[in-house]
Amino acid sequence: CGVSGEVWGIDVDDDGEVYVTGSFTSTLNSSGNIDQAAPAGVASYDSGWTTYPVVIDGDPWYYATGYNIAAVGAGRFYAAGSWNDPFDVNGEAQLIYWNGDSWEKGNLYDGSNAANIWIMEASPQGLFFSGNIDRMEFGDVSLTTSSYGFMLQSPFEVYSTTLNAWHTGLVGPPLPLGDGASMAGDDYGNLVVLAGDDRTDSFKYDIATGEWSRVTGMNDPVNASAMTKGEDGYVYAVTDGPSSLYRFTGHWWEAVGPAINGVTLDDGVTMAYDSHFGTYYVLPGGNSNVMLRYNPAWGSSWETLPVDRNTPSGVRPGAGLVFVEGEDENRLYTAQGNYDGGLSTEFWMYPLP
């Protein structure tokens, strides 16, 4: 099964439902035939596809494109992208929220243009953004940042999914994020960021205090990276620089696993943690179709899985890798992703024990 167009964002909620967004107009069944219409460019999968109604009344479907999606739970989610009616200048949305019954719509701006959102992450504290944002409107809330020049470079905003309102006064990371950046949250009130763009910089955001601090321990330039929440609720990462498995202790990065040898981590590298067996899985990106895994209880090195377990095609930027724990079977999900101008719609599932 899959969708009929490009997939740009993928996420999974705590119940194991997988959400995808992109520039597609229908879902596909296991035979590759059209399953049902997807006029919002958003769909979710849990033993079958669910699609959602058009976002903007009168919106031709080919003007609906999602780039990021963040699952909240109980069938609710946020998506960032572009939904508009080209014949109505007021008919547009860059941020949408499915409340379980209908769409709530808003806009994110960079000057007079739509904002460029790099990362969107849902947490119990709210919805976190990183990107070029200086103004936002959602429902009855309208916010202009108090430090426009800095926020234009590296803004960081949070939307409370409990209060349904924006939190104001947040300051973004000390540096703008670039190619190869990644972000994840742990169970101890921290978000950690690798800045990417051939830099060694890493920063921690303390959710309780709202303060950023520099993180040490990642000493080689990073141009590609992936993170996941792993063992004991800590954040783990792999990068193209120090290709060892790293853990964020809450204060610094430390190498806790072996280096990945024989495979280059590149654009599109993605990572997931099998919490049932304690296994880390990595798809290295760069159009590679190999799959790697590491479990400290099984050995002291990363294992390149046999070729019959390769992804059907090479994995590219925007793919994502998520672990879903089910009642009868655990699974990994990924999309192929695309380079600029690509048109892949591939979406795959890998069964686990």
Side-chain angles (χ1 to χ4, degrees), residues 184-194 202-206 211-218 227-238 245-256 271 280:
D186 62 22
D187 285 344
Y188 307 102
N190 303 305
L191 298 177
V192 62
V193 171
L194 289 170
S202 181
F203 303 96
K204 173 183 97 170
Y205 182 77
D206 187 310
E211 295 180 350
W212 289 96
S213 57
R214 183 173 289 275
V215 173
T216 61
M218 196 70 74
M227 296 187 192
T228 188
K229 185 167 69 174
E231 185 180 3
D232 297 328
Y234 289 103
V235 170
Y236 290 75
V238 292
L245 179 67
Y246 273 72
R247 177 178 65 187
F248 177 62
T249 67
H251 304 282
W252 56 79
W253 290 103
E254 63 177 5
V256 294
M271 180 181 186
Y280 297 90

Side-chain angles (χ1 to χ4, degrees), residues 19-336:
Y19 296 81
V20 293
T21 188
S23 56
F24 52 85
T25 57
S26 63
T27 57
L28 305 177
N29 60 28
S30 58
S31 299
N33 298 317
I34 292 178
D35 174 57
Q36 53 187 297
V42 181
S44 59
Y45 188 88
D46 182 11
S47 74
W49 284 110
T50 298
T51 59
Y52 302 88
V54 65
V55 175
I56 303 294
D57 291 338
D59 170 21
W61 294 4
Y62 50 86
Y63 285 100
T65 301
Y67 296 107
N68 292 276
I69 195 163
V72 178
R76 299 172 294 122
F77 59 88
Y78 291 85
S82 177
W83 294 267
N84 67 85
D85 180 353
F87 306 108
D88 179 0
V89 295
N90 297 312
E92 64 176 356
Q94 284 96 42
L95 177 66
I96 57 176
Y97 171 58
W98 181 256
N99 60 21
D101 298 304
S102 61
W103 293 114
E104 298 178 25
K105 294 165 282 189
N107 288 294
L108 304 170
Y109 297 101
D110 172 14
S112 60
N113 300 314
N116 181 18
I117 304 301
W118 297 319
I119 299 173
M120 187 166 70
E121 181 82 13
S123 79
Q125 288 75 24
L127 188 68
F128 289 82
F129 289 95
S130 183
N132 286 338
I133 314 167
D134 72 89
R135 182 166 57 93
M136 57 198 68
E137 298 172 356
F138 197 86
D140 296 328
V141 178
S142 180
L143 170 66
T144 300
T145 63
S146 58
S147 52
Y148 174 85
F150 180 80
M151 300 297 275
L152 178 66
Q153 285 189 342
S154 185
F156 189 74
E157 306 294 346
V158 58
Y159 186 83
S160 171
T161 56
T162 303
L163 301 178
N164 202 33
W166 288 99
H167 285 237
T168 64
L170 298 181
V171 176
L175 291 174
L177 306 184
D179 289 343
S182 58
M183 176 172 72
D186 62 22
D187 285 344
Y188 307 102
N190 303 305
L191 298 177
V192 62
V193 171
L194 289 170
D197 203 20
D198 200 36
R199 296 170 296 186
T200 63
D201 301 285
S202 181
F203 303 96
K204 173 183 97 170
Y205 182 77
D206 187 310
I207 294 174
T209 65
E211 295 180 350
W212 289 96
S213 57
R214 183 173 289 275
V215 173
T216 61
M218 196 70 74
N219 300 318
D220 293 309
V222 172
N223 289 289
S225 66
M227 296 187 192
T228 188
K229 185 167 69 174
E231 185 180 3
D232 297 328
Y234 289 103
V235 170
Y236 290 75
V238 292
T239 79
D240 66 325
S243 60
S244 302
L245 179 67
Y246 273 72
R247 177 178 65 187
F248 177 62
T249 67
H251 304 282
W252 56 79
W253 290 103
E254 63 177 5
V256 294
I260 295 175
N261 295 313
V263 175
T264 299
L265 304 187
D266 206 337
D267 289 342
V269 57
T270 185
M271 180 181 186
Y273 176 67
D274 176 351
S275 57
H276 185 72
F277 284 106
T279 305
Y280 297 90
Y281 289 89
V282 167
L283 300 177
N287 210 32
S288 169
N289 63 352
V290 305
M291 182 161 66
L292 307 165
R293 74 179 178 190
Y294 170 68
N295 187 314
W298 296 348
S300 58
S301 61
W302 286 90
E303 178 186 4
T304 301
L305 296 181
V307 295
D308 62 344
R309 304 187 196 181
N310 287 358
T311 55
S313 301
V315 170
R316 304 162 183 171
L321 182 66
V322 291
F323 168 78
V324 179
E325 188 169 3
E327 294 183 4
D328 302 317
E329 180 182 70
N330 300 324
R331 300 176 176 181
L332 294 173
Y333 285 89
T334 190
Q336 183 180 17

